[in-house]
Amino acid sequence: MHFEYKIEGGDFTRAGNASSQVKRTLKQLNVDPKVIKRVVVALYEGEVNIVAHAYHGEIHIDIDTEKIKMTLIDKGPGIPNIEQAMEMGFSTATPEVREMGFGAGMGLPNIKKNSDKFRIESEVGVGTKLFIEVYINQ
């Protein structure tokens, strides 16, 4: 199964829609609730990162019998120092984003923590790509 979602930067009213729809699909497929939770946490964090930091982006979800593969691609400022961005509590969120309760610097570390495979690519001035996999049967 393949799903695609378009994400608009700054649109916090729709942030979380993709992760909610994927959660509903995984429940219908009788995926283990622990796996669903890991997928939803990783996907939600990535989705909010696009909304909070990028101009726009897209999410691709592939579900097969062994894994859920998530690819998040954004067009935005990119991440100048990925190692620093992976530290708990590090954030470049604007004060406005923080006032809404986002931008605590937990996004990327939470994505990695809830993934079986995680890779990030970023180019300053171009954007960021996240490659996430969660195995269904472990």
Side-chain angles (χ1 to χ4, degrees):
M1 303 175 86
H2 179 82
F3 302 94
E4 291 183 18
Y5 303 94
K6 303 288 185 198
I7 309 297
E8 286 301 317
D11 187 0
F12 284 93
T13 59
R14 297 179 52 101
N17 280 359
S19 51
S20 292
Q21 291 178 23
V22 170
K23 178 181 180 179
R24 195 171 18 257
T25 299
L26 294 175
K27 281 184 172 182
Q28 291 170 345
L29 295 171
N30 287 323
V31 172
D32 183 325
K34 292 177 185 171
V35 172
I36 293 173
K37 182 179 177 185
R38 293 176 61 217
V39 168
V40 170
V41 168
L43 186 56
Y44 179 78
E45 294 281 10
E47 190 175 356
V48 168
N49 276 349
I50 292 172
V51 171
H53 299 287
Y55 313 123
H56 58 89
E58 52 190 58
I59 297 174
H60 301 263
I61 306 291
D62 291 290
I63 302 169
D64 64 31
T65 57
E66 296 180 7
K67 65 186 175 296
I68 296 106
K69 183 177 169 185
M70 299 168 269
T71 306
L72 294 83
I73 303 166
D74 76 48
K75 302 292 183 202
I79 302 171
N81 185 335
I82 291 174
E83 187 176 320
Q84 188 177 33
M86 293 302 301
E87 293 175 7
M88 284 277 199
F90 177 80
S91 177
T92 59
T94 64
E96 293 81 17
V97 169
R98 290 177 190 226
E99 285 175 13
M100 290 187 278
F102 300 102
M106 306 296 282
L108 290 175
N110 268 343
I111 293 170
K112 183 176 182 182
K113 178 181 165 187
N114 284 285
S115 304
D116 291 307
K117 276 188 171 180
F118 173 74
R119 184 167 53 93
I120 183 169
E121 296 175 2
S122 189
E123 186 175 344
V124 174
V126 177
T128 301
K129 296 178 184 177
L130 302 180
F131 304 92
I132 304 163
E133 289 184 14
V134 175
Y135 300 129
I136 292 175
N137 300 312
Q138 272 198 333

